[in-house]
Amino acid sequence: MLGSSGKTDAREVTSFNDGWEFKKGPFSKDAMQAVQKWDTDWQEVTIPHTWNAEDMQKKVSDFYEGVGYYRKKYTFSKNMEGKRIFLRFEGVGACAEVYVNGYLVGTHKGAYSAFVCEIGSQLKLGKENEIVVKADNASHPDVIPTNHVLFGVYGGIYRPVWLIVTEPYNIVVNDYASSGVYITQKNVSKKSAEVTVKVKVDNATLAPALLKLENAVYDRNGKLVKKHSQSFELTPQGVQHYFSHFKLSNPHLWQGREDPYLYKVVSRLMQNGCVIDEVVQPLGLRKYEIVAGKGFFLNGKRYPMYGVTRHQDWWGLGSALTNKEHDFDLAQIMDIGATTVRFAHYQQSEYIYSRCDTLGLVVWAEIPFVNRVTGQEWDNAHQQMCELIRQSFNHPSIYVWGIHNEVYHPYGYTAALTQSIHDLCKLEDPNRYTASVNGYGNADHPVNQNADIQGMNRYFGWYEKKIQDIKPWIEKMEKEYPWQRFMLTEYGADANIEHQTEILGDALNWTSPFYPETFQTKTHEYQWSIIAQHPYIIASYLWNMFDFAVPTSNRGSMAARNMKGLMTFDRKIKKDSYFWYKANWSKEPVLYLTQRRNSLRERKNTSVTVYSNIGTPKVYLNGQELTGVRKGYTDVHYIFDKVVLNDGRNVLKAVVAYQGKEYEDEIEWEYHGECNREADFFEHKKEHGSW
C-alpha cells in the first residue's frame, strides 16, 4: 500500500476465471429452463473462452453465431455478510444475460466493453451457488456491430471475469464498469500542471455515514507528491461526487515512446481511521494538440505519428487472449518503430491500453460502429461510447475517441448519430478529440465533418485507381481543405505469402485469386514515401499490423482471411513490408534483403532491393560485388538494377559496417528460365482445384 496509514480493509478483487462449464446452443429462449433441461454434456473451460476459435477462421459463412451458456458453482464465504459483491466481465460476445441461483442479475449489449453485475442479494452465503451466463453473438440490428462483415464477433466470455467485494460504502464499481475515479488535467507544461481528481462514492445502506476521502499523487518511485483529504457525511441517496485539485510544480511529463513517465493517483475511502476502499489509477501528464496542416504536437513538440492498426484475434485462439498474446502484439508494434496505434474497430483489452501507457504508444480508441446502418443502433452506439470513455478515461495514451468507420446510407441519420455521439464525447470528456472515418476520400461527403478529426481510408492500387494516385489526391486535399484536421486512417494491400511474382503493374484487381506479397511491398514502399512528404497528413495508420479473420470473405485463395497484415495471422512470418517500416521508423539497426519468399525468379535480368537504415549496403551475388546502387523512395531504400542471375542457385548477401559492427543478411534465389508466376498459379488451380 503506497503510503497509507491506519488499518486497511479495502476492496478485494480476485480472478473468477476457473471452474466454468460451457455448452453451445441453440437452446430454448428461456435461459434457466434450458440449463435445467440439459444437465449433461457440459464442457469444462477456463476463461477467456470463445466457441468460434476455429469455425470463424477457416470457412466462409459457416460458423456458429447464436447462443452459448456458461455455468459455475461457487461457495461464497459467510465472512462476506454485509459486504457488496460484484461480478465484473471484461468482455462477453456479444449480448449477455447473467443469472445467480435462477435470478436475472444483469444484462449487457456489446461484445467489447466491460460490465458489472451486483449479485449479493441473490447469494446464499456459505452454500453452493450457481452462476449462469447466456452469451449470444448473433447479429442484432440494435447492437453494434450489426453484422460480421468486416470482422467476426467471436462468441463467449472471451475476456477475464473478476469477483469484487467491497464494504457497503465504496468508490462506485457499477458506473458503467469504470474505476469510479476520473482524472483531468489542464495547463500542462514543464513548469506546472493542474490536475483534478473526481471520485464517485456510493452508500448502499439506509443511513448516512461519516467518511473521509483521500486522494494522493505519487511519483514513479512511490514518493508522495501531493495529498488532499476531505471529510463528509455520505448520504444513501444516490452516487455523490467529490473533487480534489492539485497544482504540480516542474512535473515530469509523459513524452510518448521517448519518456512514458507515469505518476499514480491513489484514492482511499476511510472510516474511523481505516481504509475501507481504494482505487489506483495512472497519471501521465501530457498535452495533445493537433494543428491542421502542420501535425501532431505532444507537450508543445511536434511528434511523428507512425501508425499501425490492430485487430485483436489470433489464429487458433480467436479473441480469447491472455496477456501473453497482447504483450507479443505490442512487442511487434514497438519493434517496427510505430509511435501510434489505432485499435480497430472496437474497444480492446483494458490490459493493452495500460501497457500502451507504460510503453508510450499514442492510442486511437473507438467503438464498433462500422460498415452498416440499420436505424436501430442509436441507443447502443451511445451506450458503448459512454462505456469506452468511462472505462478508459484515465489512460494518458488515448488521445482520440473514434465514432464510426465507413458508415454511410442513410446519410441524414448517420450524420445525426455521429454528431450526437460527438456531443456525448464532449460532455463526458471535453479534453480529448473525436474522429470519424470515411472511405470515399471526399471531404464534402454527407457524413463527414461531424467530428474533430476527419479520417479517410484509401486503397490506391488495390480497390481503386493506381498506387501512384495517392499523390495527386493528397495534394488536392491540401489545396481545397487546408483547415481540416486530416488523417489517413487505412491504406495498404493484401499479401498471401504463398503468392509471389516480380512482374507487377501499378494496380491489382482485388477480386483476383492472386494476391502476391510483392504487390503489397510495392504499395507500401511508394505510399509511405508520399505520406512522409506531407505534414498535412497528421497521422497515418497502415492496415493492418496482423492478418485477421473475416468470416464472410473468400479472397486471395484464402477463406475467411484479410491478408493486409504486415505479419501472418499466426504471427510466425514478418512480410517484407514489416521491414520496410522498421527501416523507416525504428532507431534499431535494420539491414534486410527483400523478396526472400519470391525465390523462384521469373527473369534472368532482375533487380535487388535492400532496406538499410545504417548506411549504403554492399551486395554480393554469388560472391561478386554488385555495382550501380541507387536510392529508392526514402533514405533507407537501396536498389541494384541490371542484376544478371546464374542458371540454378544464386546467393545474395548484403553487408554494412556500422558503429564498429558488421551487419549481414543473406537469401537464396533460383532461376530456371523465363516464366509467368501468375499464369502458373491459375494453371495449378485449374488442375488441382485449389492452391
Side-chain angles (χ1 to χ4, degrees):
M1 201 68 61
L2 288 170
S4 64
S5 60
K7 182 183 174 185
T8 298
D9 193 17
R11 70 173 62 184
E12 297 178 13
V13 181
T14 55
S15 171
F16 208 65
N17 296 320
D18 297 328
W20 290 88
E21 296 177 302
F22 167 70
K23 180 180 288 191
K24 185 167 68 174
F27 298 110
S28 68
K29 292 184 179 180
D30 186 287
M32 292 313 301
Q33 285 185 6
V35 171
Q36 291 163 4
K37 184 183 294 184
W38 286 303
D39 201 31
T40 58
D41 301 326
W42 287 83
Q43 170 192 353
E44 292 185 6
V45 297
T46 298
I47 306 302
H49 175 264
T50 177
W51 60 73
N52 293 124
E54 292 189 12
D55 61 359
M56 197 168 267
Q57 299 182 346
K58 294 182 178 180
K59 297 179 181 179
V60 177
S61 299
D62 186 18
F63 58 92
Y64 178 71
E65 58 170 322
V67 172
Y69 285 97
Y70 295 82
R71 74 176 182 183
K72 176 171 178 167
K73 295 181 179 180
Y74 190 82
T75 301
F76 295 83
S77 170
K78 287 186 176 181
N79 293 335
M80 293 182 181
E81 187 73 42
K83 306 277 190 178
R84 299 185 70 179
I85 304 171
F86 305 86
L87 288 180
R88 188 177 191 274
F89 296 85
E90 286 194 27
V92 177
C95 298
E97 298 174 7
V98 182
Y99 298 82
V100 173
N101 297 324
Y103 293 93
L104 180 67
V105 295
T107 64
H108 185 257
K109 292 183 177 181
Y112 303 104
S113 47
F115 65 97
V116 167
C117 302
E118 186 163 6
I119 64 173
S121 62
Q122 303 301 334
L123 294 178
K124 301 172 184 176
L125 298 181
K127 297 181 180 180
E128 186 177 77
N129 296 265
E130 184 180 60
I131 299 165
V132 172
V133 179
K134 174 186 176 183
D136 180 4
N137 73 325
S139 298
H140 295 274
D142 62 335
V143 180
I144 57 173
T146 60
N147 57 39
H148 298 273
V149 172
L150 290 186
F151 53 89
V153 181
Y154 291 85
I157 308 177
Y158 73 93
R159 286 185 186 152
V161 184
W162 301 94
L163 174 64
I164 302 174
V165 181
T166 75
E167 294 297 317
Y169 322 110
N170 62 16
I171 298 171
V172 293
V173 177
N174 50 4
D175 181 35
Y176 286 90
S178 72
S179 68
V181 177
Y182 300 88
I183 306 167
T184 56
Q185 50 187 286
K186 65 178 182 178
N187 299 324
V188 175
S189 70
K190 291 182 179 179
K191 292 184 178 181
S192 64
E194 297 173 34
V195 176
T196 298
V197 181
K198 179 173 74 172
V199 182
K200 296 185 177 182
V201 184
D202 193 18
N203 179 352
T205 72
L206 298 178
L210 293 175
L211 302 176
K212 180 180 178 181
L213 178 65
E214 176 185 284
N215 286 308
V217 180
Y218 297 89
D219 68 12
R220 177 182 284 175
N221 298 318
K223 181 181 177 182
L224 178 65
V225 178
K226 291 274 187 176
K227 182 169 70 172
H228 174 259
S229 300
Q230 55 187 310
S231 297
F232 49 85
E233 184 178 75
L234 183 63
T235 69
Q237 288 81 29
V239 173
Q240 306 298 317
H241 300 183
Y242 295 93
F243 297 84
S244 293
H245 303 283
F246 302 100
K247 187 168 184 178
L248 306 183
S249 300
N250 303 314
H252 194 145
L253 302 184
W254 189 91
Q255 191 60 41
R257 288 190 58 156
E258 179 184 317
D259 185 11
Y261 188 90
L262 291 176
Y263 294 86
K264 282 184 180 178
V265 173
V266 182
S267 301
R268 300 185 182 98
L269 191 63
M270 307 177 75
Q271 185 179 40
N272 299 324
C274 299
V275 178
I276 61 171
D277 202 3
E278 180 177 283
V279 170
V280 180
Q281 290 292 287
L283 170 61
L285 294 168
R286 80 289 184 268
K287 178 184 178 183
Y288 293 135
E289 185 179 9
I290 295 173
V291 181
K294 294 185 178 180
F296 184 93
F297 294 82
L298 176 58
N299 301 322
K301 180 181 177 181
R302 193 173 188 279
Y303 194 75
M305 295 287 275
Y306 303 149
V308 299
T309 48
R310 186 249 190 182
H311 268 295
Q312 67 183 2
D313 59 335
W314 275 52
W315 172 253
L317 297 175
S319 57
L321 308 182
T322 67
N323 292 346
K324 176 183 175 182
E325 287 79 41
H326 293 309
D327 282 335
F328 181 92
D329 281 4
L330 287 173
Q332 312 317 303
I333 291 170
M334 293 292 286
D335 179 66
I336 205 174
T339 59
T340 181
V341 56
R342 179 187 179 200
F343 287 119
H345 287 298
Y346 39 78
Q347 184 172 339
Q348 300 202 7
S349 163
E350 293 178 6
Y351 176 80
I352 212 165
Y353 293 132
S354 295
R355 289 291 294 136
C356 288
D357 294 340
T358 61
L359 293 170
L361 287 168
V362 177
V363 168
W364 169 314
E366 64 186 67
I367 59 171
F369 184 26
V370 296
N371 178 248
R372 182 187 174 212
V373 176
T374 66
Q376 300 178 48
E377 65 276 273
W378 185 286
D379 290 343
N380 186 252
H382 283 77
Q383 170 209 308
Q384 290 200 44
M385 180 58 81
C386 190
E387 290 170 330
L388 172 63
I389 293 174
R390 294 197 189 183
Q391 292 168 22
S392 311
F393 193 90
N394 298 324
H395 291 298
S397 55
I398 297 175
Y399 79 99
V400 64
W401 305 119
I403 297 174
H404 82 233
N405 180 82
E406 295 184 358
V407 183
Y408 307 117
H409 186 76
Y411 298 146
Y413 170 84
T414 303
L417 179 49
T418 304
Q419 228 171 25
S420 181
I421 298 176
H422 166 84
D423 292 342
L424 172 66
C425 292
K426 294 304 180 182
L427 180 65
E428 291 283 331
D429 181 16
N431 298 316
R432 282 188 176 94
Y433 292 99
T434 64
S436 64
V437 175
N438 190 292
Y440 285 106
N442 174 13
D444 291 334
H445 191 278
V447 303
N448 284 355
Q449 311 303 337
N450 292 305
D452 297 328
I453 297 166
Q454 185 58 59
M456 292 191 184
N457 302 337
R458 303 310 305 269
Y459 291 92
F460 290 105
W462 190 250
Y463 295 127
E464 58 174 325
K465 301 183 180 181
K466 296 180 179 179
I467 291 172
Q468 297 80 5
D469 284 318
I470 188 174
K471 187 173 187 290
W473 173 68
I474 286 296
E475 291 171 347
K476 183 173 184 290
M477 293 288 292
E478 285 176 316
K479 181 179 179 181
E480 295 183 358
Y481 305 96
W483 46 266
Q484 184 172 241
R485 295 189 187 101
F486 173 78
M487 295 185 180
L488 183 59
T489 40
E490 292 180 27
Y491 68 99
D494 283 78
N496 186 332
I497 60 170
E498 300 296 329
H499 300 176
Q500 302 289 340
T501 182
E502 58 182 309
I503 303 171
L504 298 169
D506 295 327
L508 192 146
N509 182 359
W510 63 272
T511 60
S512 163
F514 191 65
Y515 280 16
E517 179 188 2
T518 44
F519 186 83
Q520 183 197 60
T521 306
K522 180 177 180 178
T523 299
H524 282 294
E525 285 177 344
Y526 180 77
Q527 294 191 352
W528 167 248
S529 75
I530 299 303
I531 293 165
Q533 296 168 19
H534 290 269
Y536 178 75
I537 305 174
I538 292 163
S540 61
Y541 293 91
L542 65 86
W543 191 267
N544 196 284
M545 189 67 200
F546 311 99
D547 291 352
F548 60 93
V550 183
T552 61
S553 174
N554 189 358
R555 304 187 313 182
S557 304
M558 182 70 70
R561 188 76 52 84
N562 185 304
M563 290 175 282
K564 292 186 182 70
L566 305 187
M567 291 183 69
T568 52
F569 198 6
D570 59 11
R571 272 63 166 179
K572 291 182 178 179
I573 295 177
K574 298 173 180 178
K575 304 176 189 178
D576 283 355
S577 295
Y578 181 104
F579 295 95
W580 167 248
Y581 285 102
K582 184 173 181 178
N584 278 283
W585 294 351
S586 176
K587 295 178 182 178
E588 296 296 317
V590 176
L591 178 65
Y592 182 79
L593 283 158
T594 69
Q595 298 194 43
R596 59 197 56 219
R597 280 168 293 280
N598 189 21
S599 56
L600 184 61
R601 307 304 290 180
E602 297 147 301
R603 291 172 171 167
K604 189 176 183 66
N605 294 283
T606 188
S607 62
V608 174
T609 297
V610 185
Y611 304 148
S612 170
N613 62 5
I614 52 177
T616 304
K618 291 183 178 181
V619 175
Y620 300 87
L621 173 62
N622 301 321
Q624 298 295 313
E625 184 175 354
L626 300 178
T627 60
V629 63
R630 64 179 173 89
K631 278 285 185 74
Y633 295 126
T634 73
D635 286 340
V636 305
H637 194 194
Y638 297 89
I639 302 170
F640 294 80
D641 294 315
K642 299 180 180 178
V643 176
V644 181
L645 301 178
N646 292 340
D647 290 345
R649 179 173 175 265
N650 292 266
V651 177
L652 283 162
K653 183 178 181 180
V655 180
V656 174
Y658 177 70
Q659 294 185 349
K661 182 178 178 181
E662 189 167 84
Y663 294 84
E664 296 182 358
D665 191 29
E666 185 175 298
I667 62 173
E668 291 187 10
W669 287 349
E670 291 188 17
Y671 175 73
H672 300 291
E674 300 289 326
C675 66
N676 185 321
R677 192 73 53 81
E678 186 171 356
D680 290 346
F681 166 78
F682 285 117
E683 184 63 31
H684 182 99
K685 188 173 180 66
K686 181 179 178 181
E687 181 178 351
H688 297 284
S690 64
W691 179 253

